[in-house]
Amino acid sequence: MNRNRILFGIGVLAFVSVIVTVRLGGFLVDNEYRQPDRQVAAQEEQGETELTPRQQGIVDEQAADEAEARARPYEEAEYRTVPFVGSRVTVWVLAQLHLLFAAFVLAVPLFAFIIEFVGYVKKEERYNKLAYEFTKLLSVSFSMTATFGAFLTFGLIILYPKFTNYLMHIFSPTFLPYVLLFFLEALFLYSYYYGWGKFGPKMHLFLGFMLNIVGTAIMFIANAWLTFMMSPGRRDDVDGDGVPDFVSAVSESGALLSLRDAFFNFTWMPINIHRIIANVAFGGSIAAAYAAFRYLQAKTDEEKAHFDWMGYVGNFVAIIAFLPLPFAGYYLAAEIYAFSQTLGIQMMGGTFSWLFVIQAALIGNLFLGANYYLWLGMGRMEGGVHFQKFIKWLLIAIALCFAVWATPRYAISSVSEIAAMGGSSHPQLSYLGQMSAKNTAVNILILSTYMSFLLYRRTGRQSVHPHRQLLTRAQAIVFSSAAALVIFYGVYGYYVDAAIRIRFAIPQVYSVLAALVVITVIDLPLYRNAAQSGETKWGRMPAVSQYALIFIALSFTWLMGLMGYVRSGLRQEWHVYGVILDTSPDAYTPTLGFATQVVSVTVLIFFGLLGVVFWLSSLGGKKDWEPKAVADGGDRLEGGQAA
Amino acid sequence: MTAQTRLRRQVAATFAVATVLLPLSASAQVDLGTEEQRAAGKVVYDKYCGQCHGDTGDGNGYATPRVKPKPRDFTTGTYKFRTTPNGMLPTDDDLRRVIEIGAPYTSMPGWPNLTSTEIQNVIYYIKSFSPDFENPDRYAEPIDIPRPLESTEESIARGRVVYEEQGCGACHGEAGRGDGASAPTLVNDKGDPIRAADLTQRWTYRGGPTKEDIYRTFSTGLNGTPMPSYADSLEVEDRQHLVNYVYSLGDADDPNYGTLITAVYSEEPLDLQDEEALDALFESAPMTRFPLVGQITEPGRNFFPPVTSIEAQAVYNRDEIAFRVRWHDLRADTSGRNNPSLEVPMWDEDNGIGGDATDAAGDSDDFFGDFGGEEAPAEDDFFGDSGDDFFGDGGDDFFGAADAGAGGAEFSDAVALQFPASLAPEETPELKPYFLYGDAQNPVDLWFVNLTYGVADTFRGRGSDSIEATEADIVEAVTSYDQGAWTVTYKRRRSSRAGVSFAEEQYTPVAFSVWDGFNRERGNKRALSSWFYVYTEPSAEQTVAGPVLRAALIVLAIELLVVFLVRRRARQQAAGEETAGTLTATEAPAV
Amino acid sequence: MKLSVPMPVRLVLLVVGTTAFYMYLGQIVPQKEAHPPPPVLISAEMTTEDLVAVGAELASGKGQCLVGCHTVGQSGPLRYPDLDGIGARAATQIEGLSGLEYLAQSLYEPAAFIVPGFADGMQPIDQPPISLSEDEMKAVIAWLQSLGGTPTVTLDTDLGY
Amino acid sequence: MWGLNLPIVLALAAIGGVLVWRRAHTLVWLLYSLGALWAFFKFGFVVPIPQSVATIYLAITGLALVAYASSSRERLAETVQPIKRLILEPRYRLALAGLLVALPALAAYNAYADLTMPLEAPGFGREIHPAPPPEITVHDETVNMTTGDNPYLHYKADDPELYGKHLENGRRVYYENCFWCHGDGMGGDGMFAHGLNPVPSNFNDVGTLPALQSSFVHWRIAKGGPGLPGPGTPWDSAMPAWEKFLTTEEMWDVNLFIYDFNGFEPRALGQH
């Protein structure tokens, strides 16, 4: 009943707003030629032939205006402006919002598909249900993505007409495939969503698979546009000397030489990889936030259990995807460096170096939050106290790595501090500000987080494997040798040349990845059919854990906003780096403070819209699996909240 | 400063080692090391030492023409800093000490990163340059350095008597500022001009700042310089008193360089003619010492500025602001000309440059083409390979004993304060003009005093090659020279139309330049500082009570809130338990 | 009865609080605005023709000639002399001064000669607040010459100031 | 040792030891951790670490401690128990009152200390190695910052003798011109370094030369302080624009020499 009332209200509101829009539009159009005094003049003109001098003046002026308008030649605008906020911020916010929703829309099918697949293999209905729960978030988000995409396109065309035109000049052949793919995505998405339970499982899985393929393809095309702006050319070993050369896709005057080079440009692949991984992490965290939101609303134990589990899975997806993200980030950064020393230094040592200290704070918070959630999760199990004693050490490791990662190479310091240090870097701490230390820190962070997960996994379970002691020891040895290797390379890095040191990152990463794989491989048989010392009580989580999930989602979103800024801001005053100069008043690079303000506002808008998406998603489709009572309970609460 | 502290510790440690170990080691023994050790020493020497001391140890490396004092010529076997009697060879530990900590305010740095073995090897290699080290007769036992006496007033007074009796002031000056009557004429045994130490600035002592260092210097003399040994003429005790006196001349081991002049507010009028009132005013203003270094960025490169620091303070009243600066100079040169826009050659070459000069000149020929004007004849001489420098008196040095003899230098002493012509906009407070006389976009104003005339002229600098006299602001100045110390006091109205205004609570960039006419400093050849700041302290008395009280109240309020919440919850819980209600999982933890 | 904050409020607080915290982080790091290098107005290889174009831009922009003072091609009760035809007129204004010299003098020392009928009021435009550089002065002169005359100034011309 | 103030560090460790021995309560541990770290950051280093970094560290510590205290329901209850008792139980009333006075007093003292700190000149952040322009022109020769390289570097393999000559020339140039600021041992500690702000570059630092391409170093040598972009505060840097004094060859030679002297290799082209 409540819902009906709301829907009715929305209908009325929509009707009223249509009328208001039409009226307002008419008023604005008419008003341009109908200022009151002029109207009077015109009316009087009809009646009387004699005009007062004032009236005559008005008529003359009007005629002059018209003549001037006719005489004015048509000019192509280069830029247009938006009052108060300016063109850049407008496009910035629109692009960011479009991207956030798009990332979500691309990511959710990815893991919905995987979860559904797992459910199909395991023949467990609860996975299927979970996948559907995730998919429910999709359709509204899809519309949001499309809406903001349209906003963004209009924004670009209106505010940056000349530059948009230039991009069209380069990329016009890609637009048609893009639109067609978009159409296909809509088709697959809706058939996947509405076809749930109506198609056979294999057909349905195929739809999900195609949805992912098409979605990824769309992203790849769009990535070409934006990476072209950063690196308008392809990497290729033209002269065959083993050193990659830069093949420019455009001439010095900006004319297109090769669409292929423009499309498969220098940073295209790194961005693709980075974005897929980041999207999954982001999507998982948002889905977990949704679960947390529903968990907090839930009244019954079943509902709680369900959403607790969903939050857990979402967070699990987010963290698993998050672990390799720093490496994808390094790859991207390295490619940017390789493309242009100027851009590279700009990024790591220049204007943006402080941005990476903020980034360190965000990532540290993310790791801390993720671990925290896992530790709280031990409370779900009977006998979870057993592993609590490890938390202290994990926490110390994480905090240490966090601190190392947040150590700036050159600290903000007062004049006397600089004098005492003999420069802007501290004799001891500056070691922590270098790449070796930071690589080590992030690897240890990853290991620690995985350790938390392992502990969580075995809380309340007792292995029944015949060689359990041996296997557990093997795990410990693998774990500690990976950690030792990482630390060894980190320390040894200070004793060798930079050229060699840089290569140390690779064995560090590999030893961590290998450790993760080996430990997992051992862990699977070790805890197969493990004896439960107590039951896992889904839904038995303190509320603070759910807020932690939302905090994680928020940090992720903010981080994405920040990284989006640095990627785009790197170009500084260039539209297309080295080719098309931005000559608008917004060409300067704003302060970090301002950028973070814009990011914050964007994030707040996004979460506001997300609230709407969550609410809409929770409206429909419950009766399929949930008992009536639960659905009613949920509705009552949501209705109450909305009212 | 930590570097200084460390230095002092090392000196002390070295001496501890020296005093304990030396008597045991038979120092008269000739120890020239093995072939391998010398070869290993050569590797280190060639990498770190040869560029100044010459690859053949003759003190003639790449850097030699431009540094002062000159790098040691190892072929002579003459060493300044020793624990052995005058004229004798140093011990290995003496050499080691100098290698480890260097000689402050010279181009000899310390080499803390060399290992003990490396240093020993280098010592063996250095010894191989001079045949003296093969002669056992040139070796002597190190002298005994007693524990310093306590610095009582009597001891210092006695030391002063010794100082006067021994005529230390003839070189070091009455007040110890290195301004003795004969200071301008001092040369070492190679004929290179050298300066008597400024005893009031202990941190610049080449041989080290401790009492032991000072005692050692009296007792062993500095070989090759006019500084004799007093081992024979003075009793040990008198030398110890003298140490105390010399030590009392300076008030700090560290220069304690600052970054800020705090201008204090005063209601009093600032009358430059009323000396006493002025002194009283400045009495209340904190004094800050700023480091000065040679201008080596632009032509007129000054590789060895004798003035290494300047002290400054400021006071202001409602309308005016006054600055006082003070620095030490071995002689008041008040007969020549000087101003910031005087043209100077790329650099004044020292003596002994020989063929190298042509090389350097060849590289920079095109640059010199731009120069002309008053110094033109000088250039000709300078680039001729005749070896004559342009002072024409045949003297090898430009410190110019001849100049001194003639009673005045060609260029006068001078000083300048430098301010930006306008303050940076609020959004970019870090923006400043280029610290070397500004640039075209951001000019600077110079308050220049040529000490020959003792009045302030204002110049506007738009870069080193574009300095013009202006009369936009009226700056007054009074000057005085007292026993080696120049004092210049400036005054200007606080507000200015053309230049910078000194508003209250404002940080105004300031930089300093000092010209020592005796060192032929003029134009862009000068000692200068980077940008520092003048802070005009608020005139009203500042109170800390408000913020302190606020902090306390905020914390108290939070505390009370917590106490209130906890108590209230406990009450509710108690009430809840009575009605048998328990908290559900979601409510349990407080968020 | 319960003292706890309602969940939606907590959520909003969490979201706003976290965002605000991150924004605060952004405010405490060093703030720098990086502006693109200013466009090079005058470069060494500019021809007289280029200078005229730059001068025209300067006249209505930085040079402030046409901002409320001078006009081009207007008559009537003007505040300051109209500049139309100045390029031709300049040579005959003061005896002994060529057109170029006259223009240079008018810019560097406006008070030296006041066109009859007008009041003194122009500031030397090589000094603050306008502070045109020497090259910019040349560009302005080139533009002035082009108003009714043939511009002759190049960057190598010595204006005598 | 390691630039630490050993007495302080040992004292803090000793207190920690006592806490272990006495099996201190979680709350005590939390307070100790925060306090000990604060003391460690403030007094534990011979060269004090900058306030800003200490603040970052303490914030992280605080976050971690809160996470620890609330990481399970039992631990949270255990941690806050003493606080609750302090507030609720009548026999601690005096202690509570004491705390209520002591904390504000501490805050007040802190505020007072902040206000009465000696004045300092304002410090401004500065980019140590700002991004170079895409290309530079030195003596009519254009050098691309990304692809440009030291033209003599290849002699190292091809013609060691010629390489040695270039090195020796670089050595001459360095010790005629550079060591006043960058130091005899290239530690950025020459005899004029103490008077300069910013301090001269330290070439011994593993994070400086090896992280830069030789084209970058060439840019810095040729264009000096005046050639820095705005964020590098060109008005402060005393680095001369050496193209005024030196030939192109001399600049490349000294570039070669400073790398060789410190045993570093320039960052290679396109190297990650």
Side-chain angles (χ1 to χ4, degrees), chain A residues 174-219:
Chain A
T174 64
F175 290 142
L176 190 60
Y178 184 79
V179 174
L180 286 178
L181 283 172
F182 204 78
F183 181 70
L184 270 183
E185 189 185 19
L187 199 70
F188 282 121
L189 191 140
Y190 287 112
S191 57
Y192 182 68
Y193 174 51
Y194 289 114
W196 214 294
K198 278 132 196 149
F199 293 107
K202 279 186 188 157
M203 182 62 196
H204 193 253
L205 275 172
F206 172 74
L207 286 177
F209 180 72
M210 286 312 290
L211 172 59
N212 279 309
I213 295 293
V214 171
T216 310
I218 289 180
M219 188 185 76

Side-chain angles (χ1 to χ4, degrees), chain C residues 48-117:
Chain C
T48 306
E49 214 170 303
D50 299 334
L51 284 181
V52 172
V54 174
E57 220 173 287
L58 283 170
S60 47
K62 186 182 173 193
Q64 301 185 10
C65 315
L66 303 179
V67 186
C69 297
H70 294 283
T71 51
V72 179
Q74 277 195 24
S75 54
L78 299 167
R79 278 180 73 194
Y80 292 110
D82 187 77
L83 296 176
D84 199 15
I86 186 73
R89 214 164 53 233
T92 59
Q93 289 285 52
I94 303 179
E95 258 200 53
L97 282 188
S98 72
L100 178 67
E101 285 164 341
Y102 171 75
L103 290 175
Q105 190 201 50
S106 312
L107 294 180
Y108 281 104
E109 299 174 42
F113 173 71
I114 309 291
V115 179

Side-chain angles (χ1 to χ4, degrees), chain A residues 335 341-342 345-346 350-351 365 372 376 388 395 403 407 409 411-412 414-417 426 428-429 497-498 501-502, chain D residues 2-3 47 49 51-52 57 63-64 67-68 70 72 75 120-121 127 129 131-132 145-146 205 210 213 216 263 272:
Chain A
E335 286 296 303
Q341 180 179 227
T342 307
I345 294 182
Q346 191 69 40
T351 322
N365 275 346
Y372 183 58
L376 283 170
Q388 284 283 336
L395 194 65
T407 305
R409 176 89 170 82
I412 314 174
S414 67
V415 176
S416 64
E417 284 170 340
H426 188 268
Q428 281 88 41
L429 289 185
D497 261 7
R501 176 170 62 239
I502 280 156
Chain D
W2 299 337
V47 179
I49 68 173
Q51 189 70 45
S52 62
Y57 289 168
L63 216 61
Y68 179 70
S70 61
S72 80
R75 186 166 292 131
E120 265 192 26
E127 279 178 30
H129 299 301
M145 278 296 110
T146 302
D205 178 17
Q213 286 181 215
F216 185 100
H272 295 169

Side-chain angles (χ1 to χ4, degrees), chain A residues 382-393:
Chain A
E382 307 284 343
V385 195
H386 177 59
F387 289 110
Q388 284 283 336
K389 58 174 184 274
F390 291 112
I391 289 176
K392 190 176 0 179
W393 304 109

Side-chain angles (χ1 to χ4, degrees), chain C residues 52 83-90 142-152:
Chain C
V52 172
L83 296 176
D84 199 15
I86 186 73
R89 214 164 53 233
W143 169 70
L144 287 172
Q145 285 181 321
S146 77
L147 298 174
T150 319
T152 57

